[in-house]
Structure formats: structure tokens, C-alpha cells
Amino acid sequence: DAGVTQSPTHLIKTRGQQVTLRCSPKSGHDTVSWYQQALGQGPQFIFQYYEEEERQRGNFPDRFSGHQFPNYSSELNVNALLLGDSALYLCASGLAGAPPDTQYFGPGTRLTVL
Amino acid sequence: RKEVEQDPGPFNVPEGATVAFNCTYSNSASQSFFWYRQDCRKEPKLLMSVYSSGNEDGRFTAQLNRASQYISLLIRDSKLSDSATYLCVVTNTGNQFYFGTGTSLTVIP
């Protein structure tokens, strides 16, 4: 049983570009949450998707958007990249209504903005 | 004010030592509390949940003090393999995770 998978593993972009990151949840999970982890910091919540809708959102600008597909996989899109968007982007999947400690994190996508 | 505050360390301790990490949270309505472990350049993984009654798992003991909004983690008989960053996590009613900045631990031979 594959756990949470993310692609790509690493990505290098330049300021002003747009990027799309992908996440496949653990089998049987139906919620996907995205987090941004800057160097030396803890992960910061971006948003959560369930039933193909954004259910909760953290303190991130509209440049950060997402999508959830019928198969529960999800994409994170970031427009007009800034140097400060360089970070490890983590995806966590879970089951709606289940305790929070049943969420699993993927290995992350490391984004570098030059 | 940050939702979760942690001392970032680093903590450098010899093998066999006992080390304690502390964390405070600002929202008295926080629902659940955890310690996560994160190895270098890897994803966070759940170490243990934290309850008011305390929670022990082998060499690890976690404690929650709701009145003081304080969470602790005690590691006894430190091993080299315990070297990692330890993240304090609290959740709100929507199961949104709030992470501390993490505390770095290096266990020295």
C-alpha cells in the first residue's frame, strides 16, 4: 500500500513564474492538506481540500491555489513566484472525521525560486 | 503571537542523557496535541500524542498542562538515532495543524 506520494521531488523556478505541485493521498484517504516549510521553520498550513472543495485556509495570499480531483489527488498552484516562496512543500492526507493523528505526510517537494 | 512556541535549540547531549523539550500554545481552545519527529530533509512523522494524563512510550514521555497551555517531551537514555528535529503540534476544531518551529537534538557518542 503506497503512502502519500508527491511530485516532483525537487523543482527550480525563477521569480514571476508559476508552479504546480502534485500529491496523491494514501489509499483510502479523502482529505488533502498542504503545508509550506521554510528553512529552519515548522510547517505552515496553506489549505485543506475535501470533496473537491477548499475547506480551510491558512494565512496565505491568493497566489496560492489548489484543486482536488475526483480520485482525491490534489494540486497546489503558486503564481507569480517570489524568492520567499522557496521552501519544502508538504502534503498530508487523512480521512474526514478521523482523529488528526491519522494524517500522513508525503516526502515533500523542495521548491527553489531564483 | 505565534500559535505554538518552541525553543529551537540546538540541544547537543551525550548518549545516555535525559533531555526535555518544552512548548507553549496560545489558543486555549486547541483540541489535540502531538509531538512529531522530522529527520533532515524528510517529512514529519508522528512520535506520540499528548494527553493531560501523560503518555509514555518506552524512553519517551509526553505531558500536557491545559491550565498553563504547556506541552513537554522527555527523552530518557538518549540514543544516537534520536538525533532529529522535534516538532510540537496543536490542532484546532477543524484538525488544522499548527506546528512549532521545532527543536533540534543531536546526540553525541
Side-chain angles (χ1 to χ4, degrees), chain B residues 13-29:
Chain B
V13 303
E15 272 186 291
T18 295
V19 60
F21 303 139
N22 303 314
C23 163
T24 57
Y25 60 96
S26 60
N27 186 351
S28 60

Side-chain angles (χ1 to χ4, degrees), chain B residues 31-64:
Chain B
Q31 298 284 303
S32 303
F33 309 88
F34 308 100
W35 283 100
Y36 273 70
R37 170 190 169 129
Q38 186 172 28
D39 293 292
C40 187
R41 305 179 80 83
K42 299 283 190 180
E43 72 273 24
K45 292 186 178 178
L46 178 66
L47 178 66
M48 59 198 308
S49 302
V50 190
Y51 309 112
S52 297
S53 56
N55 188 17
E56 185 171 322
D57 183 4
R59 299 180 293 107
F60 299 82
T61 301
Q63 194 77 44
L64 166 66

Side-chain angles (χ1 to χ4, degrees), chain A residues 42-112:
Chain A
Q44 298 295 308
F45 177 75
I46 304 175
F47 42 53
Q48 182 188 71
Y49 276 84
Y50 172 57
E51 291 185 331
E52 302 179 48
E53 289 188 11
E54 182 183 295
R55 299 291 177 168
Q56 293 189 78
R57 189 178 182 93
N59 189 25
F60 278 81
D62 291 345
R63 298 188 297 109
F64 290 77
S65 63
H67 190 76
Q68 185 179 35
F69 299 93
N71 67 353
Y72 308 116
S73 67
S74 176
E75 288 182 350
L76 164 65
N77 300 294
V78 187
N79 294 323
L81 284 167
L82 304 174
L83 295 179
D85 294 332
S86 295
L88 178 68
Y89 287 85
L90 294 160
C91 159
S93 76
L95 189 60
D101 58 356
T102 57
Q103 288 193 66
Y104 287 85
F105 282 86
T109 293
R110 192 163 297 278
L111 173 65
T112 302

